[in-house]
PDB file of all heavy atoms in Angstrom:
ATOM      1  N   ALA A   1     170.184  88.534 104.092  1.00 30.00           N
ATOM      2  CA  ALA A   1     169.456  89.762 104.369  1.00 30.00           C
ATOM      3  C   ALA A   1     169.252  89.869 105.867  1.00 30.00           C
ATOM      4  O   ALA A   1     169.364  88.897 106.602  1.00 30.00           O
ATOM      5  CB  ALA A   1     168.104  89.732 103.654  1.00 30.00           C
ATOM      6  N   LEU A   2     168.958  91.069 106.344  1.00 29.00           N
ATOM      7  CA  LEU A   2     168.718  91.239 107.765  1.00 29.00           C
ATOM      8  C   LEU A   2     167.479  90.478 108.191  1.00 29.00           C
ATOM      9  O   LEU A   2     166.572  90.235 107.400  1.00 29.00           O
ATOM     10  CB  LEU A   2     168.567  92.730 108.093  1.00 29.00           C
ATOM     11  CG  LEU A   2     169.838  93.573 107.908  1.00 29.00           C
ATOM     12  CD1 LEU A   2     169.530  95.035 108.198  1.00 29.00           C
ATOM     13  CD2 LEU A   2     170.952  93.094 108.831  1.00 29.00           C
ATOM     14  N   ALA A   3     167.441  90.110 109.446  1.00 33.00           N
ATOM     15  CA  ALA A   3     166.307  89.343 109.964  1.00 33.00           C
ATOM     16  C   ALA A   3     165.043  90.185 109.942  1.00 33.00           C
ATOM     17  O   ALA A   3     165.062  91.394 109.790  1.00 33.00           O
ATOM     18  CB  ALA A   3     166.609  88.892 111.394  1.00 33.00           C
ATOM     19  N   ALA A   4     163.924  89.489 110.108  1.00 35.00           N
ATOM     20  CA  ALA A   4     162.629  90.155 110.050  1.00 35.00           C
ATOM     21  C   ALA A   4     162.518  91.231 111.126  1.00 35.00           C
ATOM     22  O   ALA A   4     163.165  91.171 112.165  1.00 35.00           O
ATOM     23  CB  ALA A   4     161.519  89.125 110.246  1.00 35.00           C
ATOM     24  N   GLU A   5     161.695  92.214 110.868  1.00 36.00           N
ATOM     25  CA  GLU A   5     161.498  93.308 111.804  1.00 36.00           C
ATOM     26  C   GLU A   5     161.061  92.760 113.161  1.00 36.00           C
ATOM     27  O   GLU A   5     160.232  91.867 113.257  1.00 36.00           O
ATOM     28  CB  GLU A   5     160.437  94.259 111.253  1.00 36.00           C
ATOM     29  CG  GLU A   5     160.183  95.456 112.150  1.00 36.00           C
ATOM     30  CD  GLU A   5     159.136  96.387 111.560  1.00 36.00           C
ATOM     31  OE1 GLU A   5     158.672  96.106 110.439  1.00 36.00           O
ATOM     32  OE2 GLU A   5     158.796  97.361 112.220  1.00 36.00           O
ATOM     33  N   GLY A   6     161.657  93.313 114.207  1.00 38.00           N
ATOM     34  CA  GLY A   6     161.290  92.879 115.546  1.00 38.00           C
ATOM     35  C   GLY A   6     162.125  91.723 116.057  1.00 38.00           C
ATOM     36  O   GLY A   6     162.049  91.362 117.208  1.00 38.00           O
ATOM     37  N   LYS A   7     162.982  91.143 115.204  1.00 45.00           N
ATOM     38  CA  LYS A   7     163.828  90.032 115.616  1.00 45.00           C
ATOM     39  C   LYS A   7     165.232  90.569 115.848  1.00 45.00           C
ATOM     40  O   LYS A   7     166.060  90.627 114.956  1.00 45.00           O
ATOM     41  CB  LYS A   7     163.828  88.963 114.522  1.00 45.00           C
ATOM     42  CG  LYS A   7     164.460  87.646 114.965  1.00 45.00           C
ATOM     43  CD  LYS A   7     164.384  86.636 113.832  1.00 45.00           C
ATOM     44  CE  LYS A   7     164.931  85.294 114.273  1.00 45.00           C
ATOM     45  NZ  LYS A   7     164.990  84.328 113.174  1.00 45.00           N
ATOM     46  N   GLU A   8     165.489  91.022 117.052  1.00 51.00           N
ATOM     47  CA  GLU A   8     166.755  91.664 117.352  1.00 51.00           C
ATOM     48  C   GLU A   8     167.900  90.661 117.257  1.00 51.00           C
ATOM     49  O   GLU A   8     167.811  89.549 117.711  1.00 51.00           O
ATOM     50  CB  GLU A   8     166.710  92.272 118.756  1.00 51.00           C
ATOM     51  CG  GLU A   8     165.700  93.410 118.886  1.00 51.00           C
ATOM     52  CD  GLU A   8     165.711  94.027 120.271  1.00 51.00           C
ATOM     53  OE1 GLU A   8     166.533  93.584 121.097  1.00 51.00           O
ATOM     54  OE2 GLU A   8     164.907  94.936 120.501  1.00 51.00           O
ATOM     55  N   ARG A   9     168.960  91.119 116.659  1.00 52.00           N
ATOM     56  CA  ARG A   9     170.118  90.266 116.466  1.00 52.00           C
ATOM     57  C   ARG A   9     171.374  91.011 116.893  1.00 52.00           C
ATOM     58  O   ARG A   9     171.317  92.099 117.440  1.00 52.00           O
ATOM     59  CB  ARG A   9     170.216  89.857 114.983  1.00 52.00           C
ATOM     60  CG  ARG A   9     169.047  88.986 114.531  1.00 52.00           C
ATOM     61  CD  ARG A   9     168.928  87.726 115.368  1.00 52.00           C
ATOM     62  NE  ARG A   9     168.093  86.736 114.734  1.00 52.00           N
ATOM     63  CZ  ARG A   9     167.745  85.595 115.290  1.00 52.00           C
ATOM     64  NH1 ARG A   9     168.123  85.313 116.510  1.00 52.00           N
ATOM     65  NH2 ARG A   9     166.994  84.729 114.650  1.00 52.00           N
ATOM     66  N   HIS A  10     172.515  90.433 116.609  1.00 48.00           N
ATOM     67  CA  HIS A  10     173.767  91.104 116.915  1.00 48.00           C
ATOM     68  C   HIS A  10     173.844  92.416 116.150  1.00 48.00           C
ATOM     69  O   HIS A  10     173.283  92.549 115.051  1.00 48.00           O
ATOM     70  CB  HIS A  10     174.948  90.203 116.542  1.00 48.00           C
ATOM     71  CG  HIS A  10     175.058  88.993 117.402  1.00 48.00           C
ATOM     72  ND1 HIS A  10     175.232  89.062 118.751  1.00 48.00           N
ATOM     73  CD2 HIS A  10     175.011  87.671 117.101  1.00 48.00           C
ATOM     74  CE1 HIS A  10     175.311  87.842 119.253  1.00 48.00           C
ATOM     75  NE2 HIS A  10     175.170  86.981 118.269  1.00 48.00           N
ATOM     76  N   PRO A  11     174.556  93.412 116.659  1.00 46.00           N
ATOM     77  CA  PRO A  11     174.569  94.730 116.048  1.00 46.00           C
ATOM     78  C   PRO A  11     175.394  94.823 114.772  1.00 46.00           C
ATOM     79  O   PRO A  11     175.498  95.905 114.203  1.00 46.00           O
ATOM     80  CB  PRO A  11     175.191  95.599 117.148  1.00 46.00           C
ATOM     81  CG  PRO A  11     176.035  94.664 117.947  1.00 46.00           C
ATOM     82  CD  PRO A  11     175.283  93.376 117.939  1.00 46.00           C
ATOM     83  N   HIS A  12     175.993  93.749 114.308  1.00 45.00           N
ATOM     84  CA  HIS A  12     176.739  93.815 113.059  1.00 45.00           C
ATOM     85  C   HIS A  12     175.873  93.322 111.921  1.00 45.00           C
ATOM     86  O   HIS A  12     174.840  92.706 112.129  1.00 45.00           O
ATOM     87  CB  HIS A  12     178.017  92.980 113.144  1.00 45.00           C
ATOM     88  CG  HIS A  12     177.758  91.548 113.523  1.00 45.00           C
ATOM     89  ND1 HIS A  12     177.682  91.142 114.833  1.00 45.00           N
ATOM     90  CD2 HIS A  12     177.545  90.446 112.771  1.00 45.00           C
ATOM     91  CE1 HIS A  12     177.454  89.837 114.875  1.00 45.00           C
ATOM     92  NE2 HIS A  12     177.363  89.394 113.632  1.00 45.00           N
ATOM     93  N   ASP A  13     176.284  93.602 110.690  1.00 54.00           N
ATOM     94  CA  ASP A  13     175.432  93.240 109.562  1.00 54.00           C
ATOM     95  C   ASP A  13     176.135  92.339 108.548  1.00 54.00           C
ATOM     96  O   ASP A  13     175.637  92.124 107.464  1.00 54.00           O
ATOM     97  CB  ASP A  13     174.913  94.498 108.852  1.00 54.00           C
ATOM     98  CG  ASP A  13     176.042  95.375 108.343  1.00 54.00           C
ATOM     99  OD1 ASP A  13     177.221  94.982 108.466  1.00 54.00           O
ATOM    100  OD2 ASP A  13     175.739  96.463 107.835  1.00 54.00           O
ATOM    101  N   GLU A  14     177.309  91.816 108.899  1.00 67.00           N
ATOM    102  CA  GLU A  14     177.982  90.889 108.017  1.00 67.00           C
ATOM    103  C   GLU A  14     178.468  89.690 108.824  1.00 67.00           C
ATOM    104  O   GLU A  14     178.893  89.834 109.960  1.00 67.00           O
ATOM    105  CB  GLU A  14     179.180  91.553 107.324  1.00 67.00           C
ATOM    106  CG  GLU A  14     178.791  92.621 106.324  1.00 67.00           C
ATOM    107  CD  GLU A  14     179.992  93.105 105.540  1.00 67.00           C
ATOM    108  OE1 GLU A  14     181.069  92.471 105.655  1.00 67.00           O
ATOM    109  OE2 GLU A  14     179.867  94.098 104.813  1.00 67.00           O
ATOM    110  N   ALA A  15     178.378  88.533 108.224  1.00 77.00           N
ATOM    111  CA  ALA A  15     178.903  87.331 108.853  1.00 77.00           C
ATOM    112  C   ALA A  15     180.257  87.012 108.233  1.00 77.00           C
ATOM    113  O   ALA A  15     180.411  87.023 107.014  1.00 77.00           O
ATOM    114  CB  ALA A  15     177.950  86.151 108.661  1.00 77.00           C
ATOM    115  N   THR A  16     181.237  86.753 109.063  1.00 86.00           N
ATOM    116  CA  THR A  16     182.586  86.489 108.582  1.00 86.00           C
ATOM    117  C   THR A  16     182.647  85.142 107.868  1.00 86.00           C
ATOM    118  O   THR A  16     182.109  84.144 108.344  1.00 86.00           O
ATOM    119  CB  THR A  16     183.577  86.488 109.760  1.00 86.00           C
ATOM    120  OG1 THR A  16     183.500  87.750 110.409  1.00 86.00           O
ATOM    121  CG2 THR A  16     184.992  86.233 109.280  1.00 86.00           C
ATOM    122  N   VAL A  17     183.329  85.129 106.725  1.00 93.00           N
ATOM    123  CA  VAL A  17     183.576  83.888 105.998  1.00 93.00           C
ATOM    124  C   VAL A  17     184.997  83.449 106.310  1.00 93.00           C
ATOM    125  O   VAL A  17     185.951  84.182 106.049  1.00 93.00           O
ATOM    126  CB  VAL A  17     183.404  84.077 104.483  1.00 93.00           C
ATOM    127  CG1 VAL A  17     183.777  82.799 103.742  1.00 93.00           C
ATOM    128  CG2 VAL A  17     181.980  84.484 104.162  1.00 93.00           C
ATOM    129  N   PRO A  18     185.183  82.272 106.892  1.00 94.00           N
ATOM    130  CA  PRO A  18     186.531  81.822 107.240  1.00 94.00           C
ATOM    131  C   PRO A  18     187.435  81.731 106.016  1.00 94.00           C
ATOM    132  O   PRO A  18     187.023  81.269 104.943  1.00 94.00           O
ATOM    133  CB  PRO A  18     186.295  80.435 107.853  1.00 94.00           C
ATOM    134  CG  PRO A  18     184.878  80.459 108.320  1.00 94.00           C
ATOM    135  CD  PRO A  18     184.157  81.308 107.325  1.00 94.00           C
ATOM    136  N   ALA A  19     188.652  82.173 106.179  1.00 94.00           N
ATOM    137  CA  ALA A  19     189.618  82.143 105.082  1.00 94.00           C
ATOM    138  C   ALA A  19     189.822  80.718 104.577  1.00 94.00           C
ATOM    139  O   ALA A  19     189.939  79.776 105.363  1.00 94.00           O
ATOM    140  CB  ALA A  19     190.942  82.728 105.551  1.00 94.00           C
ATOM    141  N   GLY A  20     189.862  80.575 103.279  1.00 94.00           N
ATOM    142  CA  GLY A  20     190.065  79.279 102.660  1.00 94.00           C
ATOM    143  C   GLY A  20     188.788  78.525 102.373  1.00 94.00           C
ATOM    144  O   GLY A  20     188.814  77.501 101.679  1.00 94.00           O
ATOM    145  N   LEU A  21     187.655  79.015 102.901  1.00 97.00           N
ATOM    146  CA  LEU A  21     186.385  78.316 102.705  1.00 97.00           C
ATOM    147  C   LEU A  21     185.411  79.118 101.850  1.00 97.00           C
ATOM    148  O   LEU A  21     184.221  78.836 101.827  1.00 97.00           O
ATOM    149  CB  LEU A  21     185.747  78.015 104.069  1.00 97.00           C
ATOM    150  CG  LEU A  21     186.548  77.102 104.997  1.00 97.00           C
ATOM    151  CD1 LEU A  21     185.836  76.958 106.339  1.00 97.00           C
ATOM    152  CD2 LEU A  21     186.758  75.733 104.360  1.00 97.00           C
ATOM    153  N   GLU A  22     185.933  80.119 101.129  1.00 96.00           N
ATOM    154  CA  GLU A  22     185.054  81.010 100.375  1.00 96.00           C
ATOM    155  C   GLU A  22     184.193  80.269  99.358  1.00 96.00           C
ATOM    156  O   GLU A  22     183.016  80.602  99.179  1.00 96.00           O
ATOM    157  CB  GLU A  22     185.893  82.085  99.677  1.00 96.00           C
ATOM    158  CG  GLU A  22     186.564  83.065 100.605  1.00 96.00           C
ATOM    159  CD  GLU A  22     187.896  82.571 101.151  1.00 96.00           C
ATOM    160  OE1 GLU A  22     188.275  81.413 100.841  1.00 96.00           O
ATOM    161  OE2 GLU A  22     188.547  83.335 101.884  1.00 96.00           O
ATOM    162  N   SER A  23     184.751  79.280  98.693  1.00 97.00           N
ATOM    163  CA  SER A  23     183.971  78.580  97.672  1.00 97.00           C
ATOM    164  C   SER A  23     182.849  77.752  98.286  1.00 97.00           C
ATOM    165  O   SER A  23     181.781  77.592  97.687  1.00 97.00           O
ATOM    166  CB  SER A  23     184.879  77.689  96.826  1.00 97.00           C
ATOM    167  OG  SER A  23     185.532  76.738  97.634  1.00 97.00           O
ATOM    168  N   TYR A  24     183.082  77.219  99.501  1.00 98.00           N
ATOM    169  CA  TYR A  24     182.022  76.471 100.171  1.00 98.00           C
ATOM    170  C   TYR A  24     180.890  77.401 100.588  1.00 98.00           C
ATOM    171  O   TYR A  24     179.708  77.080 100.413  1.00 98.00           O
ATOM    172  CB  TYR A  24     182.580  75.745 101.394  1.00 98.00           C
ATOM    173  CG  TYR A  24     183.378  74.515 101.055  1.00 98.00           C
ATOM    174  CD1 TYR A  24     184.762  74.500 101.191  1.00 98.00           C
ATOM    175  CD2 TYR A  24     182.753  73.370 100.589  1.00 98.00           C
ATOM    176  CE1 TYR A  24     185.497  73.368 100.882  1.00 98.00           C
ATOM    177  CE2 TYR A  24     183.475  72.229 100.274  1.00 98.00           C
ATOM    178  CZ  TYR A  24     184.853  72.241 100.424  1.00 98.00           C
ATOM    179  OH  TYR A  24     185.579  71.120 100.102  1.00 98.00           O
ATOM    180  N   TYR A  25     181.244  78.535 101.145  1.00 97.00           N
ATOM    181  CA  TYR A  25     180.226  79.495 101.571  1.00 97.00           C
ATOM    182  C   TYR A  25     179.529  80.142 100.380  1.00 97.00           C
ATOM    183  O   TYR A  25     178.405  80.621 100.510  1.00 97.00           O
ATOM    184  CB  TYR A  25     180.854  80.580 102.459  1.00 97.00           C
ATOM    185  CG  TYR A  25     181.031  80.168 103.893  1.00 97.00           C
ATOM    186  CD1 TYR A  25     182.084  79.334 104.275  1.00 97.00           C
ATOM    187  CD2 TYR A  25     180.148  80.601 104.878  1.00 97.00           C
ATOM    188  CE1 TYR A  25     182.249  78.942 105.600  1.00 97.00           C
ATOM    189  CE2 TYR A  25     180.309  80.217 106.203  1.00 97.00           C
ATOM    190  CZ  TYR A  25     181.352  79.390 106.559  1.00 97.00           C
ATOM    191  OH  TYR A  25     181.512  79.012 107.870  1.00 97.00           O
ATOM    192  N   GLY A  26     180.186  80.149  99.239  1.00 96.00           N
ATOM    193  CA  GLY A  26     179.598  80.778  98.067  1.00 96.00           C
ATOM    194  C   GLY A  26     178.889  79.832  97.123  1.00 96.00           C
ATOM    195  O   GLY A  26     178.371  80.267  96.085  1.00 96.00           O
ATOM    196  N   GLN A  27     178.837  78.536  97.423  1.00 97.00           N
ATOM    197  CA  GLN A  27     178.179  77.580  96.526  1.00 97.00           C
ATOM    198  C   GLN A  27     176.680  77.847  96.474  1.00 97.00           C
ATOM    199  O   GLN A  27     176.090  78.412  97.392  1.00 97.00           O
ATOM    200  CB  GLN A  27     178.440  76.145  96.991  1.00 97.00           C
ATOM    201  CG  GLN A  27     177.773  75.798  98.322  1.00 97.00           C
ATOM    202  CD  GLN A  27     178.127  74.406  98.810  1.00 97.00           C
ATOM    203  OE1 GLN A  27     177.669  73.402  98.241  1.00 97.00           O
ATOM    204  NE2 GLN A  27     178.937  74.333  99.869  1.00 97.00           N
ATOM    205  N   ALA A  28     176.067  77.464  95.401  1.00 95.00           N
ATOM    206  CA  ALA A  28     174.619  77.623  95.245  1.00 95.00           C
ATOM    207  C   ALA A  28     173.918  76.399  95.811  1.00 95.00           C
ATOM    208  O   ALA A  28     174.203  75.261  95.414  1.00 95.00           O
ATOM    209  CB  ALA A  28     174.260  77.805  93.770  1.00 95.00           C
ATOM    210  N   LEU A  29     172.993  76.638  96.738  1.00 96.00           N
ATOM    211  CA  LEU A  29     172.212  75.549  97.322  1.00 96.00           C
ATOM    212  C   LEU A  29     170.902  75.441  96.557  1.00 96.00           C
ATOM    213  O   LEU A  29     170.132  76.389  96.506  1.00 96.00           O
ATOM    214  CB  LEU A  29     171.944  75.827  98.798  1.00 96.00           C
ATOM    215  CG  LEU A  29     171.331  74.677  99.602  1.00 96.00           C
ATOM    216  CD1 LEU A  29     172.335  73.538  99.751  1.00 96.00           C
ATOM    217  CD2 LEU A  29     170.889  75.160 100.974  1.00 96.00           C
ATOM    218  N   GLU A  30     170.656  74.309  95.964  1.00 95.00           N
ATOM    219  CA  GLU A  30     169.467  74.116  95.127  1.00 95.00           C
ATOM    220  C   GLU A  30     168.449  73.248  95.864  1.00 95.00           C
ATOM    221  O   GLU A  30     168.651  72.056  96.066  1.00 95.00           O
ATOM    222  CB  GLU A  30     169.852  73.478  93.798  1.00 95.00           C
ATOM    223  CG  GLU A  30     170.802  74.326  92.966  1.00 95.00           C
ATOM    224  CD  GLU A  30     171.131  73.686  91.627  1.00 95.00           C
ATOM    225  OE1 GLU A  30     170.555  72.607  91.336  1.00 95.00           O
ATOM    226  OE2 GLU A  30     171.960  74.244  90.898  1.00 95.00           O
ATOM    227  N   TRP A  31     167.340  73.874  96.258  1.00 95.00           N
ATOM    228  CA  TRP A  31     166.239  73.133  96.880  1.00 95.00           C
ATOM    229  C   TRP A  31     165.319  72.588  95.797  1.00 95.00           C
ATOM    230  O   TRP A  31     165.058  73.246  94.797  1.00 95.00           O
ATOM    231  CB  TRP A  31     165.443  74.045  97.799  1.00 95.00           C
ATOM    232  CG  TRP A  31     166.169  74.498  99.021  1.00 95.00           C
ATOM    233  CD1 TRP A  31     166.743  75.709  99.227  1.00 95.00           C
ATOM    234  CD2 TRP A  31     166.394  73.740 100.216  1.00 95.00           C
ATOM    235  NE1 TRP A  31     167.322  75.767 100.471  1.00 95.00           N
ATOM    236  CE2 TRP A  31     167.117  74.577 101.108  1.00 95.00           C
ATOM    237  CE3 TRP A  31     166.060  72.455 100.625  1.00 95.00           C
ATOM    238  CZ2 TRP A  31     167.510  74.161 102.372  1.00 95.00           C
ATOM    239  CZ3 TRP A  31     166.443  72.042 101.894  1.00 95.00           C
ATOM    240  CH2 TRP A  31     167.161  72.876 102.751  1.00 95.00           C
ATOM    241  N   TYR A  32     164.830  71.394  96.003  1.00 91.00           N
ATOM    242  CA  TYR A  32     163.916  70.774  95.045  1.00 91.00           C
ATOM    243  C   TYR A  32     162.915  69.926  95.815  1.00 91.00           C
ATOM    244  O   TYR A  32     163.197  69.464  96.924  1.00 91.00           O
ATOM    245  CB  TYR A  32     164.675  69.916  94.035  1.00 91.00           C
ATOM    246  CG  TYR A  32     165.513  68.823  94.668  1.00 91.00           C
ATOM    247  CD1 TYR A  32     164.976  67.552  94.899  1.00 91.00           C
ATOM    248  CD2 TYR A  32     166.829  69.066  95.059  1.00 91.00           C
ATOM    249  CE1 TYR A  32     165.727  66.554  95.486  1.00 91.00           C
ATOM    250  CE2 TYR A  32     167.586  68.076  95.646  1.00 91.00           C
ATOM    251  CZ  TYR A  32     167.036  66.818  95.857  1.00 91.00           C
ATOM    252  OH  TYR A  32     167.784  65.834  96.448  1.00 91.00           O
ATOM    253  N   PRO A  33     161.728  69.701  95.243  1.00 90.00           N
ATOM    254  CA  PRO A  33     160.742  68.852  95.931  1.00 90.00           C
ATOM    255  C   PRO A  33     161.294  67.453  96.151  1.00 90.00           C
ATOM    256  O   PRO A  33     161.806  66.826  95.222  1.00 90.00           O
ATOM    257  CB  PRO A  33     159.545  68.837  94.970  1.00 90.00           C
ATOM    258  CG  PRO A  33     159.718  70.085  94.152  1.00 90.00           C
ATOM    259  CD  PRO A  33     161.192  70.263  93.982  1.00 90.00           C
ATOM    260  N   CYS A  34     161.239  66.985  97.369  1.00 88.00           N
ATOM    261  CA  CYS A  34     161.738  65.647  97.669  1.00 88.00           C
ATOM    262  C   CYS A  34     160.912  64.614  96.916  1.00 88.00           C
ATOM    263  O   CYS A  34     159.685  64.613  96.984  1.00 88.00           O
ATOM    264  CB  CYS A  34     161.653  65.378  99.168  1.00 88.00           C
ATOM    265  SG  CYS A  34     162.582  66.536 100.190  1.00 88.00           S
ATOM    266  N   THR A  35     161.592  63.759  96.187  1.00 73.00           N
ATOM    267  CA  THR A  35     160.908  62.734  95.398  1.00 73.00           C
ATOM    268  C   THR A  35     161.625  61.408  95.564  1.00 73.00           C
ATOM    269  O   THR A  35     162.762  61.359  96.021  1.00 73.00           O
ATOM    270  CB  THR A  35     160.882  63.105  93.903  1.00 73.00           C
ATOM    271  OG1 THR A  35     162.222  63.268  93.433  1.00 73.00           O
ATOM    272  CG2 THR A  35     160.111  64.403  93.669  1.00 73.00           C
ATOM    273  N   ALA A  36     160.949  60.348  95.160  1.00 56.00           N
ATOM    274  CA  ALA A  36     161.561  59.031  95.216  1.00 56.00           C
ATOM    275  C   ALA A  36     162.806  59.020  94.339  1.00 56.00           C
ATOM    276  O   ALA A  36     162.832  59.563  93.242  1.00 56.00           O
ATOM    277  CB  ALA A  36     160.568  57.975  94.737  1.00 56.00           C
ATOM    278  N   GLY A  37     163.868  58.405  94.849  1.00 47.00           N
ATOM    279  CA  GLY A  37     165.075  58.277  94.069  1.00 47.00           C
ATOM    280  C   GLY A  37     166.043  59.429  94.203  1.00 47.00           C
ATOM    281  O   GLY A  37     167.066  59.458  93.531  1.00 47.00           O
ATOM    282  N   ASP A  38     165.749  60.384  95.083  1.00 47.00           N
ATOM    283  CA  ASP A  38     166.663  61.515  95.211  1.00 47.00           C
ATOM    284  C   ASP A  38     167.794  61.242  96.194  1.00 47.00           C
ATOM    285  O   ASP A  38     168.633  62.097  96.428  1.00 47.00           O
ATOM    286  CB  ASP A  38     165.926  62.791  95.630  1.00 47.00           C
ATOM    287  CG  ASP A  38     165.279  62.680  97.017  1.00 47.00           C
ATOM    288  OD1 ASP A  38     165.591  61.711  97.735  1.00 47.00           O
ATOM    289  OD2 ASP A  38     164.494  63.554  97.370  1.00 47.00           O
ATOM    290  N   GLY A  39     167.826  60.047  96.752  1.00 47.00           N
ATOM    291  CA  GLY A  39     168.882  59.702  97.679  1.00 47.00           C
ATOM    292  C   GLY A  39     168.641  60.209  99.079  1.00 47.00           C
ATOM    293  O   GLY A  39     169.458  59.999  99.958  1.00 47.00           O
ATOM    294  N   ILE A  40     167.533  60.899  99.293  1.00 57.00           N
ATOM    295  CA  ILE A  40     167.249  61.424 100.631  1.00 57.00           C
ATOM    296  C   ILE A  40     165.991  60.786 101.187  1.00 57.00           C
ATOM    297  O   ILE A  40     165.999  60.198 102.248  1.00 57.00           O
ATOM    298  CB  ILE A  40     167.120  62.966 100.605  1.00 57.00           C
ATOM    299  CG1 ILE A  40     168.472  63.582 100.203  1.00 57.00           C
ATOM    300  CG2 ILE A  40     166.696  63.493 101.961  1.00 57.00           C
ATOM    301  CD1 ILE A  40     168.459  65.073 100.128  1.00 57.00           C
ATOM    302  N   ALA A  41     164.888  60.872 100.474  1.00 52.00           N
ATOM    303  CA  ALA A  41     163.655  60.235 100.943  1.00 52.00           C
ATOM    304  C   ALA A  41     162.597  60.351  99.863  1.00 52.00           C
ATOM    305  O   ALA A  41     162.699  61.168  98.953  1.00 52.00           O
ATOM    306  CB  ALA A  41     163.163  60.882 102.232  1.00 52.00           C
TER     307      ALA A  41
END
């Protein structure tokens, strides 16, 4: 989505997805509460 009001950005409204990487850019990122045993912290 566009940035918050008052946060001026580049005048375009789409970010280019590099060819061949569409599935990486389209993957679902799942955030979860960090807990013991999650492999991160």
Side-chain angles (χ1 to χ4, degrees):
L2 293 177
E5 181 179 357
K7 191 179 183 185
E8 295 182 2
R9 295 302 196 185
H10 292 300
H12 56 273
D13 59 4
E14 292 188 10
T16 302
V17 175
L21 298 177
E22 293 85 357
S23 59
Y24 284 108
Y25 278 78
Q27 67 184 288
L29 189 68
E30 298 182 3
W31 292 102
Y32 57 90
C34 301
T35 58
D38 63 12
I40 296 179

